[in-house]
Amino acid sequence: MEAPQVLLVMGVSGSGKSTVGALLASKLGWKFYDADDYHSEDNRIKMGKGVPLSDQDRIPWLCSLHDILLRDAALGQPVVLACSALKKMYRDILIRGGSDDSAKEAVLAGGKLLVVHLCGAFDLIYGRLLQRKGHFMPPELLQSQFSILEPPTAPENFIQISVDQGLPEITAAVMEALR
């Protein structure tokens, strides 16, 4: 299998996607994107009010993230993307975009994208969210994320890592999977 060009670090809010993703990008010398930075103002306001996002809220956001991944892949720029990507449909949009254009799919499909699923117990992650300051995602929305979560399964190219480990162990596990 060829080495991935894109690492998608996924999981529920508070699982450590941004922290793990930024550290991995730094270690690998890859570009880093935090999907939260690309939410529309409407999405941020909605989440800030404690209202979970719908698929209709997320699809334009995921399509714009896909376009960023596609652009960087076309330039040969490896990327780490921290994104909740809670449903398989969302991960499919990140890989294929919002259309059925098979030429686009070929760029990010197969082994070119590795999903790193950061998973953990609700109580552990909820505790982390309670300590987080200045984020638009309130802890009260965590249950809605666990409710819609569809962990990756075959044939998706993925690894699953428990967040009850420390940051060095988590990043080491990902680095090992890339070898």
Side-chain angles (χ1 to χ4, degrees):
M1 180 178 96
E2 70 180 279
Q5 281 191 285
V6 177
L7 278 182
L8 168 60
V9 182
M10 67 154 289
V12 297
S13 185
S15 61
K17 299 178 298 290
S18 299
T19 303
V20 170
L23 184 58
L24 285 168
S26 175
K27 283 180 176 276
L28 292 164
W30 292 11
K31 201 164 190 176
F32 174 68
Y33 294 101
D34 188 330
D36 284 347
D37 295 340
Y38 296 87
H39 271 298
S40 68
E41 191 57 31
D42 288 346
N43 283 2
R44 289 174 182 270
I45 290 168
K46 193 171 184 179
M47 287 184 282
K49 290 180 180 176
V51 179
L53 296 180
S54 68
D55 288 351
Q56 290 70 32
D57 296 323
R58 287 187 175 99
I59 288 171
W61 169 67
L62 293 165
C63 286
S64 66
L65 292 168
H66 164 79
D67 291 344
I68 291 167
L69 297 178
L70 201 62
R71 179 197 67 210
D72 283 3
L75 295 172
Q77 171 65 59
V79 172
V80 177
L81 172 66
C83 180
S84 52
L86 297 172
K87 292 182 178 181
K88 181 171 186 330
M89 177 182 90
Y90 302 163
R91 296 186 295 276
D92 287 346
I93 292 170
L94 287 170
I95 293 168
R96 294 179 180 88
S99 71
D100 293 329
D101 185 349
S102 58
K104 279 184 169 183
E105 179 181 343
V107 176
L108 296 175
K112 295 200 177 191
L113 183 137
L114 175 64
V115 176
V116 177
H117 178 208
L118 300 178
C119 58
F122 178 88
D123 292 341
L124 171 70
I125 295 173
Y126 187 74
R128 289 180 178 182
L129 285 178
L130 290 176
Q131 296 172 1
R132 188 160 76 174
K133 303 288 181 239
H135 196 276
F136 58 83
M137 171 76 177
E140 299 76 39
L141 286 181
L142 183 61
Q143 186 57 59
S144 71
Q145 292 209 329
F146 268 93
S147 295
I148 67 164
L149 176 64
E150 297 171 5
T153 57
E156 289 181 271
N157 185 27
F158 75 98
I159 58 172
Q160 187 165 292
I161 300 175
S162 175
V163 298
D164 60 4
Q165 307 173 72
L167 196 53
E169 291 82 11
I170 292 170
T171 54
V174 176
M175 298 298 279
E176 182 60 35
L178 290 173
R179 286 190 179 82

